[in-house]
Amino acid sequence: MADNREQERNELYRTIWALATELRGSVDGWDFKQYVLGMLFYRYISENFTSYLNKGEHEAGNTDFDYAQISDEEAECVRTDMVETKGFFILPSQLFGNLLKRIQKADKDAKEKAEREGKEVEAADLDTDLNEILQKNFKSIEASAIGTPSEPNFKGLFDDIDVNSNKLGPTVIKRNKRLKKLIAVIGSMNLGNYQDNCIDAFGDTYEYLMGMYASNAGKSGGEFFTPQEVSELLTKLALLDQNGQMKTEVNKVYDPAVGSGSLLLKFAKILGKDNVRNGFFGQEINITTYNLCRINMFLHDIDYDKFSIEHGDTLTDPKHWDEEPFEAIVSNPPYSIKWEGSDNATLINDPRFSPAGVLAPKSKADFAFIMHALHWLATNGTAAIVCFPGIMYRGGAEQKIRKYLIDNNYIDCIIQLPDNLFYGTTIATCIMVLKKSKKDSQTLFIDASKEFTKATNSNKLDPETNIPHILDAYKNRETVKHFTALVKKEDIEKADYTLSVSTYVESENTKEVIDIAVLNEKITRIVERENALRAQIDAIIAEIEGA
């Protein structure tokens, strides 16, 4: 069974890759993902909606019912109930599957007409107005949530699927042909029976697409996507309690630089979405990625009332002030970006930043994200944050913030990761683990720089070996030569509050040790042999000359 699933998944990935290669044309790969993911989402919500209604009718004894087959007029009677339950409403005529059938019928009719008239196949009916139909359907789905609790989660959700973009083609017909091809390929994907496995299939497809595009998009893609293995490590670090036991539930999980949402959703995969009791929270400054993140929530079957993804600058305009503190915080914030800092006179009095008595430098916002996360962390919670290595040793304001964190015993662990783990950068990053209620006043340093397996173009944390090894070291909390160091506060103070792992964990010397005595003996033998050979050569030459 497992082999069959792996085979199906690989086939699915091949289909996606072929789709991306064939369709992107003049559209940059990272930009084109919006169309692929958006259309995947359109199919998902159509099947989700239809399956829910059909299941209810079948359980009520109406076994012949199929929502996709009824008229739009008949469907209106369930609009209010469905918006309340699902957060949106979609008419039968607007379903992805029914639009696909219309496209196929139009193509068939155009082909048959051409054959009858002995002419070349002309544009099918939908080739001239498919973009308008799609735009109307998307706007209708978004509008169905207006004035309801689900409105924030649906508003502008399809904005980045620009069906009129010149990037799709210079004319309406060419753009629609590309959209038609996109719909056909998405419709042909074998995502299985919705009720059985579509959640895994849709979610896996999304993650594969994001990883594929990020790996080929350089920095622009890597900013928005954290590799799944790193997500797993961060999640498990955030779930370990003071006794080294993995929590089975948390109140909620938060990411202040949420990107595509992969870090949040790893909690749903590891714990089960129902064990994140009050839901998934995040904020994203990039509007396109904000939309993709909300789509990702739906594709992983997170209901609209179980997530709150907001758009805006987390550092200067945070959106979750009224929430109770978060028991789990995970994040991979952008490295050393600029922010307002001291240019904004109000920030030094902001309760998130004021305890340290200094703001993160304007040119390097890393510690602003860390202080933000710490402020919103629950007393019994854990935050695991990916960090740029420079913040561990630079002076000035960053040193003062490190001093504040150490003096108040908030830093539980610093983990040095291998280089070349993340898309768009080869830098060896770190993880900072924060707790407000530590069981001791020491800080653990782990050198995991050698914990990786070689992948095609990058390094990778192996879920079977590397991740368990790092987690065991974190749980055991003891000094192991060349791997970990449990360091007292006073020793960190003596090191001027440097938090670089290399300051406390001595690297293993892998160079060959040379024994001078043995080397001298070898040299002596070589010289003796050389002298003997010279004597033999001189004797031969003298004999030749004498003759």
Side-chain angles (χ1 to χ4, degrees):
M1 184 68 174
D3 290 341
N4 288 339
R5 285 186 177 179
E6 191 63 29
Q7 186 175 350
E8 288 177 5
R9 183 177 285 109
N10 289 336
E11 181 61 35
L12 186 64
Y13 293 169
R14 281 192 291 271
T15 302
I16 295 169
W17 181 257
L19 170 68
T21 302
E22 180 177 354
L23 292 181
R24 64 173 174 242
S26 61
V27 183
D28 177 75
W30 181 246
D31 290 334
F32 194 76
K33 77 188 180 307
Q34 296 154 213
Y35 294 94
V36 181
L37 293 170
M39 212 61 73
L40 182 74
F41 173 62
Y42 181 30
R43 175 181 167 182
Y44 169 80
I45 61 173
S46 295
E47 294 183 12
N48 177 301
F49 196 87
T50 302
S51 177
Y52 181 85
L53 282 168
N54 287 352
K55 182 180 179 182
E57 290 292 328
H58 296 170
E59 289 175 349
N62 189 5
T63 55
D64 295 329
F65 179 83
D66 183 359
Y67 181 74
Q69 300 298 319
I70 69 174
S71 68
D72 287 354
E73 290 73 22
E74 291 176 280
E76 285 292 348
C77 67
V78 298
R79 176 184 286 269
T80 302
D81 287 343
M82 288 304 293
V83 170
E84 185 177 334
T85 303
K86 284 290 180 183
F88 69 99
F89 181 75
I90 183 168
L91 291 165
S93 65
Q94 298 170 337
L95 293 168
F96 177 92
N98 282 342
L99 178 59
L100 177 59
K101 288 177 182 177
R102 285 180 64 189
I103 291 171
Q104 292 169 338
K105 184 178 185 304
D107 282 350
K108 181 181 177 184
D109 290 346
K111 185 177 180 180
E112 290 177 350
K113 180 182 178 183
E115 289 175 350
R116 287 195 306 269
E117 297 177 356
K119 299 179 180 179
E120 292 290 327
V121 179
E122 297 178 355
D125 289 342
L126 265 67
D127 285 352
T128 58
D129 60 1
L130 178 58
N131 57 333
E132 294 179 4
I133 293 171
L134 282 169
Q135 191 168 46
K136 178 183 175 183
N137 290 354
F138 295 160
K139 292 298 182 185
S140 177
I141 294 168
E142 289 182 13
S144 70
I146 292 176
T148 73
S150 62
E151 180 178 352
N153 291 328
F154 281 89
K155 186 176 181 181
L157 201 53
F158 292 97
D159 281 358
D160 288 305
I161 311 172
D162 185 357
V163 294
N164 296 305
S165 172
N166 287 331
K167 290 182 178 181
L168 290 171
T171 66
V172 171
I173 289 180
K174 288 185 177 181
R175 289 196 285 270
N176 283 340
K177 282 184 179 296
R178 186 159 280 171
L179 288 169
K180 186 170 68 174
K181 180 66 175 177
L182 174 58
I183 291 171
V185 176
I186 294 292
S188 71
M189 287 183 180
N190 180 20
L191 298 176
N193 179 277
Y194 176 84
Q195 290 174 294
D196 291 339
N197 65 1
C198 90
I199 302 307
D200 287 341
F202 276 98
D204 284 352
T205 302
Y206 180 97
E207 289 168 6
Y208 174 78
L209 275 164
M210 288 298 292
M212 178 186 76
Y213 283 123
S215 65
N216 286 279
K219 190 173 185 293
S220 63
E223 286 176 353
F224 308 128
F225 188 75
T226 303
Q228 289 299 308
E229 297 77 20
V230 179
S231 297
E232 180 177 337
L233 176 59
L234 290 169
T235 298
K236 290 183 175 178
L237 286 168
L239 287 174
L240 284 168
D241 64 19
Q242 297 287 16
N243 299 313
Q245 300 299 311
M246 197 71 70
K247 294 179 180 179
T248 56
E249 64 175 15
V250 293
N251 70 338
K252 49 192 180 176
V253 58
Y254 173 67
D255 184 347
V258 72
S260 65
S262 61
L263 286 174
L264 296 183
L265 289 164
K266 189 57 79 170
F267 278 81
K269 190 165 280 189
I270 291 175
L271 280 184
K273 62 177 183 175
D274 293 333
N275 291 320
V276 182
R277 299 188 304 273
N278 299 326
F280 303 80
F281 296 76
Q283 187 165 340
E284 173 57 40
I285 195 170
N286 181 284
I287 185 66
T288 296
T289 317
Y290 160 67
N291 289 333
L292 288 174
C293 183
R294 290 186 294 161
I295 286 174
N296 201 7
M297 293 293 130
F298 286 115
L299 288 177
H300 283 80
D301 203 36
I302 308 297
D303 292 333
Y304 75 91
D305 57 349
K306 286 296 294 288
F307 73 86
S308 173
I309 306 299
E310 297 283 355
H311 177 238
D313 187 335
T314 299
L315 300 181
T316 58
D317 185 25
K319 302 294 187 181
H320 295 103
W321 274 114
D322 297 331
E323 293 293 329
E324 66 174 325
F326 297 92
E327 196 173 337
I329 296 177
V330 285
S331 193
N332 178 18
Y335 306 144
S336 297
I337 61 167
K338 295 179 181 179
W339 75 306
E340 291 184 16
S342 57
D343 285 345
N344 185 335
T346 66
L347 289 175
I348 192 60
N349 297 315
D350 189 306
R352 297 171 297 164
F353 310 127
S354 59
V358 64
L359 295 172
K362 291 186 294 182
S363 60
K364 303 174 181 67
D366 309 72
F367 268 116
F369 282 103
I370 290 170
M371 292 297 292
H372 169 88
L374 178 66
H375 183 74
W376 285 6
L377 184 64
T379 303
N380 64 333
T382 303
I385 303 170
V386 178
C387 301
F388 183 80
I391 72 166
M392 301 298 175
Y393 57 80
R394 290 191 296 237
E398 291 180 315
Q399 183 186 39
K400 292 177 182 177
I401 296 174
R402 293 197 303 271
K403 180 179 186 304
Y404 164 77
L405 293 172
I406 290 295
D407 287 350
N408 288 276
N409 202 30
Y410 290 136
I411 298 182
D412 192 46
C413 181
I414 302 292
I415 302 171
Q416 175 67 59
L417 293 175
D419 60 14
N420 206 22
L421 278 184
F422 291 85
Y423 302 114
T425 180
T426 59
I427 293 171
T429 55
C430 308
I431 295 175
M432 180 181 289
V433 182
L434 301 171
K435 287 184 185 292
K436 286 186 174 178
S437 301
K438 288 171 58 179
K439 67 178 182 180
D440 59 45
S441 60
Q442 301 178 97
T443 299
L444 178 68
F445 293 85
I446 302 176
D447 182 2
S449 58
K450 303 295 188 293
E451 293 292 330
F452 66 89
T453 58
K454 265 300 194 189
T456 308
N457 296 316
S458 61
N459 295 327
K460 180 179 178 182
L461 295 175
D462 190 314
E464 303 298 324
T465 57
N466 304 132
I467 292 178
H469 193 204
I470 296 170
L471 291 172
D472 283 344
Y474 179 70
K475 288 187 287 187
N476 292 338
R477 206 165 175 78
E478 59 188 19
T479 296
V480 177
K481 192 175 183 180
H482 304 310
F483 185 43
T484 62
L486 190 59
V487 183
K488 295 178 181 179
K489 173 189 165 186
E490 307 88 78
D491 292 329
I492 297 176
E493 184 179 356
K494 289 176 185 175
D496 292 327
Y497 294 95
T498 294
L499 296 179
S500 297
V501 171
S502 59
T503 301
Y504 307 100
V505 181
E506 182 184 359
S507 297
E508 187 173 5
N509 186 358
T510 57
K511 293 181 180 179
E512 182 181 357
V513 178
I514 298 174
D515 189 319
I516 298 299
V518 172
L519 180 61
N520 284 333
E521 186 179 341
K522 287 182 179 179
I523 292 172
T524 300
R525 288 200 300 269
I526 291 171
V527 171
E528 289 174 351
R529 176 61 177 161
E530 181 183 4
N531 291 335
L533 289 172
R534 283 185 181 280
Q536 291 176 13
I537 291 170
D538 289 344
I540 293 171
I541 291 173
E543 185 178 341
I544 293 172
E545 290 177 345

